[in-house]
Amino acid sequence: GIPFYLASCLFSVLVFPQYIQVLAILHLVFGDPFSSFFGVLLGRDKLFPNKSLQGTLGGLVVCGVATAIFLKLIGVRSEVFLLVSILGGFSGAIAELLPLNIDDNFAIPLVSGMIMTLVFWAAGLPLAP
């Protein structure tokens, strides 16, 4: 998975604005391993082969927390903070859950980055400092 991991990080840095790069890579770094951890540990309800409801929910929570911490660090105002954090969790979980025919180490930052770009744009948040 390392070539896909590195390729997706490089692609994210080349394609997405700075704040989205960071979020996309955070979703990969934290969301994917925690989805796997919770899926292996607690995964009883299969959604797809090698994808469980419990793993997806674990990834959603971790991506939401990572998004919230990042938003706090960049000083996002409170009226959109919670909504964007929740949508960040969903973007990471959806990216991990999709049954794409590519390695999820490549898919997670790309799908998450596209979704978060739209979320930031819709919320009127800056895409870079």
Side-chain angles (χ1 to χ4, degrees):
I2 291 175
F4 292 110
Y5 194 97
L6 293 174
S8 67
C9 289
L10 177 63
F11 187 81
S12 295
V13 168
L14 294 174
V15 172
F16 296 124
Q18 188 175 355
Y19 286 162
I20 304 304
Q21 294 168 12
V22 173
L23 280 173
I25 294 170
L26 282 173
H27 291 169
L28 172 63
V29 168
F30 293 108
D32 189 39
F34 275 93
S35 292
S36 296
F37 175 77
F38 286 111
V40 169
L41 185 67
L42 304 170
R44 291 178 200 83
D45 305 311
K46 297 294 180 190
L47 301 172
F48 297 106
N50 298 326
K51 307 286 181 177
S52 70
L53 176 63
Q54 293 78 12
T56 299
L57 292 175
L60 185 148
V61 169
V62 170
C63 288
V65 169
T67 302
I69 292 169
F70 179 74
L71 294 174
K72 197 61 136 173
L73 290 173
I74 64 170
V76 170
R77 60 193 189 280
S78 61
E79 59 266 12
V80 295
F81 179 84
L82 183 60
L83 178 61
V84 174
S85 297
I86 291 169
L87 292 174
F90 275 105
S91 74
I94 289 168
E96 196 279 327
L97 180 63
L98 289 175
L100 301 173
N101 289 331
I102 58 174
D103 190 281
D104 63 351
N105 286 323
F106 191 74
I108 291 171
L110 303 182
V111 172
S112 175
M114 287 187 285
I115 293 170
M116 290 310 294
T117 299
L118 294 173
V119 168
F120 267 56
W121 176 76
L125 296 175
L127 297 172

